[in-house]
Amino acid sequence: DGGITQSPKYLFRKEGQNVTLSCEQNLNHDAMYWYRQDPGQGLRLIYYSQIVNDFQKGDIAEGYSVSREKKESFPLTVTSAQKNPTAFYLCASTQLGRILFFGSGTQLSVL
Amino acid sequence: KNEVEQSPQNLTAQEGEFITINCSYSVGISALHWLQQHPGGGIVSLFMLSSGKKKHGRLIATINIQEKHSSLHITASHPRDSAVYICAVRKGAQKLVFGQGTRLTINP
C-alpha cells in the first residue's frame, strides 16, 4: 500500500545536539512538506519541496534544515539552533495540489 | 486574528447526534481541506473542496465561497468519530493555512 512513513515515532534530543527525522513516501508525489504542531495551535509549515534538489523555507524555518536528494525522501534536521524543539512533527506529500497524505508523526522532546 | 478560525474548539455529544463543525477564513483560497487527526497523531484527509458540497458515508462537507465559510457535518455520530477535525485552506499553489482544530468527543 502506498503511503508516508515517518521515523522514529518518539525522539529525544540532548542539549546542543542535532537530530534528524525521517520521512519516506512511495506515492510518487512531487511535493513534500514538514509541519510542526504545538498544543492548541494549528500546523505550521517548516519547509517544503516541490521537486528533487529544491526546497523552500516555510513560516518557521529557523533552526531547521532539510534535503531532497531523492523524490521519495525528505529528511528534516532539527539543529541545536532551534531553542524550543519540543513538538509533534508531521510530514506530508501531495501531487499537483490534490489531497494531502500525512505520515503518522514524530514526537520530539528535549532531555 | 487567525486567517482560519474554527468553531467550536471543543464539542461533546451523545452517540447518534448530528454534528456540525464550522470553519471561517479571511483570505482568498483555491481549495479547502478537512482533515481528521486521531489520538495517535496521524492525520487523514477527509475532503478537498473548492465549491458546493461533498459527501462520503456519514460525512458531508460544504463550502460557501462568497461567505468564506465551510462546514463539516457528521450524521448518526459514533464514538469512533471522536478525533480532532482540522480545516485548512490553500492559498496559491503550495501554501496551506491550518485552523486550530475542533476536538470532538462522542459518548456512547
Side-chain angles (χ1 to χ4, degrees):
Chain A
D1 285 336
I4 299 180
T5 301
Q6 282 188 247
S7 63
K9 192 166 178 62
Y10 300 97
L11 187 57
F12 298 91
R13 193 190 89 166
K14 294 180 183 177
E15 201 73 37
Q17 186 182 37
N18 294 352
V19 292
T20 297
L21 285 60
S22 170
C23 177
E24 303 277 332
Q25 54 101 355
N26 60 3
L27 299 162
N28 201 33
H29 286 171
D30 287 314
M32 297 185 74
Y33 308 81
W34 274 106
Y35 293 98
R36 170 178 171 142
Q37 187 177 36
D38 294 280
Q41 295 191 36
L43 276 71
R44 292 183 291 167
L45 181 64
I46 305 172
Y47 268 98
Y48 68 97
S49 168
Q50 295 178 257
I51 196 168
V52 173
N53 292 321
D54 184 57
F55 47 83
Q56 308 295 330
K57 291 183 179 180
D59 300 317
I60 54 165
E62 186 173 349
Y64 300 98
S65 67
V66 293
S67 63
R68 188 87 186 275
E69 296 176 3
K70 298 186 299 182
K71 189 174 186 177
E72 312 80 52
S73 179
F74 191 40
L76 173 74
T77 296
V78 184
T79 74
S80 55
Q82 172 48 249
K83 297 306 179 190
N84 184 24
T86 297
F88 190 63
Y89 291 85
L90 283 154
C91 178
S93 72
T94 188
Q95 186 68 15
L96 296 175
R98 293 182 180 173
I99 64 169
L100 283 164
F101 285 80
F102 285 85
S104 54
T106 294
Q107 176 64 50
L108 176 62
S109 303
V110 177
L111 287 176
Chain B
K1 191 179 190 305
N2 293 333
E3 291 179 305
V4 180
E5 293 277 356
Q6 286 185 236
S7 63
Q9 288 190 345
N10 294 283
L11 178 57
T12 299
Q14 291 300 120
E15 183 173 355
E17 287 189 37
F18 181 81
I19 303 298
T20 296
I21 299 170
N22 297 299
C23 175
S24 296
Y25 53 93
S26 57
V27 294
I29 68 169
S30 55
L32 182 144
H33 298 256
W34 280 104
L35 310 168
Q36 181 190 56
Q37 185 171 33
H38 277 282
I43 294 179
V44 175
S45 283
L46 298 175
F47 296 102
M48 184 182 79
L49 61 165
S50 54
S51 65
K53 175 179 171 178
K54 286 192 176 180
K55 184 176 189 292
H56 185 257
R58 295 181 294 107
L59 301 177
I60 303 165
T62 64
I63 188 169
N64 184 319
I65 298 295
Q66 286 74 30
E67 295 188 2
K68 292 189 165 66
H69 181 269
S70 175
S71 293
L72 177 69
H73 305 286
I74 305 175
T75 62
S77 59
H78 190 276
R80 65 174 175 266
D81 297 325
S82 298
V84 175
Y85 292 84
I86 301 169
C87 169
V89 300
R90 183 175 297 281
K91 296 166 57 177
Q94 297 294 344
K95 174 82 171 175
L96 276 172
V97 180
F98 292 81
Q100 293 171 311
T102 294
R103 184 174 299 277
L104 174 66
T105 303
I106 303 296
N107 294 319

